[in-house]
């Protein structure tokens, strides 16, 4: 099968969508399929004949995201030469529009993975407002309803999309992880490198350190626990615009000697970081699937997390970790972490179950589920009945495609001017 992936974020960008696309790409290739990726230019990106990098604005509005600049015919030639059996879009705008156009031109089905709660990211856009959040929600719904198949990374997101008005068929398929790789990290090596004592009790977190990740809450809860446990330290892995704010909040409480923040890690170093931790903490409520939760569990680490979309599917309270209500305070979070740290029987049970949970997210399982979805979509796709469409027919169809895309944006703009209905809000509790 020939598969074309369109994504606004891709390596070397550090984030869940970029990692998800790369995992899917590599998994499909291992199973004998051809894959091409269309993504924006990015500083430090490696060149590959299988990846088309389109012109883009780097570090949009101070973020680490790239925004595609329309460039006629570049994508068209790349896709026409490849001849995909289907197109998989990973965003509902920018390259998402291009994916939709190319699917129509090639007369192949288009599938869209709803990776992101877009309304939680509008602070990256100038003039952020509740109206802009409503527009982001409606734009993603309209795009979903233009596609042939939707993939949700978790059941809570699938349910949310249906409540918001998505009528296109939805299938729940999480992003897979290499469970064997994350189970084999050398924690002792990383502890020695970071100057962390073998006797230290390591609380850990991995992720993009961004405003939408609820890191101020997490830092406060961890600080409380560090103040109560003299042997505890905090290993914070990741980079982002919120990094210094998190570190400063901990330093103000005179905890700087017990904070280890190596920045972003990858490969063996990332696996070693998970292995070096004793417990994993997570407070984000902007997830569609907490990939780092599955990675931590593959390393046998119990998790303490706040309930939320993409989290409640994997964290099972008192089975593989501690899952707190959305309304929990930082003191509540610190207390749950403390209980897990002090109760040896609970800790052991959660560690064992964490590994079992991670097996459900193994790359091979998830990629095969996605390929099954692809095959079903391709085999059931109804192509044009005309052997050679007339130029006038194609012109009219092209106008219809552009009208559909424009209508989606007009609907989003209209939604921005109205009061939200309950279904547009994420159910967190």
């Amino acid at each position: 099968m020939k598969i074309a992936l369109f994504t606004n974020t891709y390596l070397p960008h550090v984030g869940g969508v970029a990692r998800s696309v790369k995992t899917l790409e590599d998994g499909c290739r291992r199973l004998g399929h051809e894959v091409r990726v269309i993504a924006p230019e990015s500083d430090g990106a490696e060149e590959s004949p299988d990846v088309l990098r389109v012109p883009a604005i780097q570090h949009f509005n101070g973020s680490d995201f790239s925004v595609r600049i329309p460039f006629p015919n570049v994508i068209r030639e790349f896709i026409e030469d490849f001849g995909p059996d289907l197109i998989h879009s990973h965003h509902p705008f920018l390259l998402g529009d291009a994916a939709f156009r190319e699917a129509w031109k090639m007369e192949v089905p288009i599938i869209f993975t709803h990776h992101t709660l877009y309304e939680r990211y509008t602070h990256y856009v100038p003039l952020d407002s509740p109206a802009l959040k409503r527009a982001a929600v409606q734009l993603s719904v309209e795009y979903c309803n233009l596609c042939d198949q939707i993939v949700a990374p978790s059941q809570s997101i699938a349910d949310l999309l249906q409540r918001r008005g998505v009528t296109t068929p939805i299938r729940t398929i999480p992003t897979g992880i290499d469970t064997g790789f994350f189970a084999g990290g050398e924690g002792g090596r990383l502890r020695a490198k970071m100057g962390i004592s073998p006797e230290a009790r390591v609380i850990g977190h991995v992720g993009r350190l961004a405003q939408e990740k609820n890191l101020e809450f997490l830092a406060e809860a961890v600080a409380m626990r560090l103040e109560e446990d003299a042997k505890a330290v905090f290993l914070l892995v990741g980079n982002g615009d919120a990094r210094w704010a998190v570190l400063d909040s901990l330093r103000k409480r005179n905890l700087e000697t017990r904070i280890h923040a190596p920045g972003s890690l990858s490969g063996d170093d990332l696996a070693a970081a998970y292995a070096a931790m004793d417990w994993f903490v997570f407070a984000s409520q902007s997830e569609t699937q907490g990939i780092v939760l599955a990675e931590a569990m593959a390393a046998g680490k119990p998790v303490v997390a706040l309930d939320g979309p993409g989290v409640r599917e994997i964290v099972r309270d008192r089975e593989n970790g501690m899952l707190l209500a959305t309304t929990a305070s930082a003191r509540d979070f610190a207390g749950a972490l403390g209980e897990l740290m002090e109760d040896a029987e609970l800790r052991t049970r959660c560690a064992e179950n964490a590994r079992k949970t991670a097996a459900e997210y193994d790359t091979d399982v998830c990629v095969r589920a996605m390929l099954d979805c692809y095959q079903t979509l391709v085999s059931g796709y109804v192509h044009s009945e005309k052997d050679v469409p007339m130029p006038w027919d194609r012109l009219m169809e092209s106008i219809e495609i552009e009208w559909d895309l424009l209508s989606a944006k007009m609907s989003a703009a209209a939604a921005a001017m109205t009061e939200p209905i309950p279904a547009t809000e994420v159910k967190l509790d």
Side-chain angles (χ1 to χ4, degrees):
M1 192 182 304
K2 292 184 175 182
I3 305 156
L5 308 177
F6 282 69
T7 177
N8 291 337
T9 57
Y10 186 66
L11 301 181
H13 175 82
V14 177
V17 177
R19 291 171 68 185
S20 177
V21 172
K22 183 59 177 172
T23 297
L24 177 61
E25 174 193 358
D26 291 345
C28 288
R29 284 209 181 97
R30 279 197 305 272
L31 294 172
H33 302 276
E34 295 184 59
V35 185
R36 299 292 185 272
V37 178
I38 297 85
E41 290 178 334
S42 183
D43 294 338
E46 296 182 3
E47 292 188 8
S48 168
D50 297 327
V51 180
L52 173 66
R53 295 283 184 172
V54 300
I57 300 171
Q58 306 287 310
H59 307 295
F60 176 73
N61 199 34
S63 72
D64 54 354
F65 295 106
S66 299
V67 175
R68 175 228 179 178
I69 300 172
F71 205 86
N73 298 325
V74 173
I75 296 176
R76 176 87 284 268
E77 293 172 3
F78 186 78
I79 291 296
E80 194 169 45
D81 180 64
F82 178 47
D85 295 303
L86 91 164
I87 286 176
H88 190 160
S89 172
H90 292 269
H91 291 89
F93 44 80
L94 299 175
L95 280 170
D97 283 1
F100 188 74
R101 291 188 184 97
E102 294 305 320
W104 168 75
K105 290 173 182 175
M106 297 301 296
E107 293 193 74
V108 297
I110 180 169
I111 184 171
F112 168 54
T113 294
H114 198 290
H115 289 284
T116 306
L117 295 173
Y118 298 100
E119 68 276 16
R120 300 294 179 90
Y121 289 74
T122 57
H123 55 272
Y124 287 114
V125 181
L127 304 178
D128 182 22
S129 66
L132 187 58
K133 295 182 189 302
R134 292 194 292 273
V137 168
Q138 190 62 29
L139 179 61
S140 65
V141 169
E142 295 291 340
Y143 187 82
C144 284
N145 286 335
L146 290 175
C147 295
D148 299 299
Q149 174 72 53
I150 305 303
V151 170
S154 60
Q155 189 57 47
S156 54
I157 296 303
D159 295 341
L160 175 66
L161 294 178
Q162 289 180 328
R163 292 200 305 273
R164 285 178 169 179
V166 172
T167 56
T168 299
I170 303 173
R171 186 164 171 177
T172 300
I173 305 174
T175 294
I177 64 163
D178 186 339
T179 54
F181 173 74
F182 287 107
E186 299 179 13
R189 176 179 64 81
L190 188 124
R191 283 196 179 206
K193 181 179 180 180
M194 298 294 302
I196 301 174
S197 166
E199 292 76 33
R201 292 152 62 83
V202 182
I203 302 164
H205 176 81
V206 174
R208 190 167 53 84
L209 306 182
Q211 177 182 332
E212 63 274 6
K213 300 298 184 178
N214 201 21
L215 292 169
E216 291 183 13
F217 174 98
L218 187 69
E220 183 180 358
V222 169
M224 291 178 184
R225 187 59 201 153
L226 294 181
E227 289 170 343
E228 294 170 356
D229 187 337
K231 292 185 178 180
V233 300
F234 186 36
L235 177 56
L236 178 67
V237 178
N239 265 324
D241 54 16
R243 183 173 189 266
W244 291 112
V246 172
L247 294 178
D248 285 345
S249 70
L250 294 166
R251 287 168 181 155
K252 287 176 182 177
R253 300 174 79 147
N254 298 316
L255 296 168
E256 59 270 22
T257 61
R258 296 164 65 191
I259 310 302
H260 301 271
S264 295
L265 298 177
S266 60
D268 290 342
D269 287 339
L270 178 58
Y274 282 117
M277 299 171 187
D278 295 304
W279 304 273
F280 190 85
V281 291
F282 193 77
S284 175
Q285 295 185 297
S286 63
E287 308 303 307
T288 56
Q289 178 197 345
I291 297 175
V292 294
L293 298 175
E295 292 174 348
M297 288 186 182
K301 308 307 169 183
V303 170
V304 181
L306 290 180
D307 184 27
V311 176
R312 63 177 64 103
E313 280 85 358
I314 184 169
V315 183
R316 296 152 193 169
D317 191 39
R318 295 184 174 274
E319 292 184 22
N320 56 19
M322 306 287 273
L323 184 64
L324 283 77
T326 302
T327 55
S329 67
R331 173 61 68 185
D332 295 332
F333 194 101
L337 175 58
E339 181 181 357
L340 190 59
M341 292 173 69
E342 301 306 326
D343 188 331
E345 183 180 346
L346 176 63
R347 181 171 67 249
T348 300
R349 181 175 72 247
C350 287
E352 291 174 353
N353 288 332
R355 293 186 179 91
K356 294 176 183 178
T357 300
E360 301 170 15
Y361 294 84
D362 186 75
T363 298
D364 188 62
V365 173
C366 297
V367 170
R368 288 183 185 279
M370 187 69 78
L371 287 169
D372 179 70
C373 184
Y374 287 166
Q375 190 60 57
T376 300
L377 185 60
V378 170
S379 62
Y381 186 70
V382 179
H383 293 269
S384 172
E385 295 181 357
K386 300 176 182 178
D387 293 333
V388 183
M390 298 298 290
W392 175 256
D393 295 327
R394 293 295 282 173
L395 174 62
M396 294 304 294
E397 289 172 359
S398 177
I399 292 173
E400 183 178 353
I401 292 297
E402 295 303 326
W403 176 253
D404 287 342
L405 290 170
L406 177 61
S407 296
K409 294 172 177 58
M410 291 171 63
S411 177
M417 305 303 293
T418 62
E419 290 298 317
I421 58 176
T424 67
E425 301 298 326
V426 179
K427 181 175 177 57
L428 296 174
D429 54 16

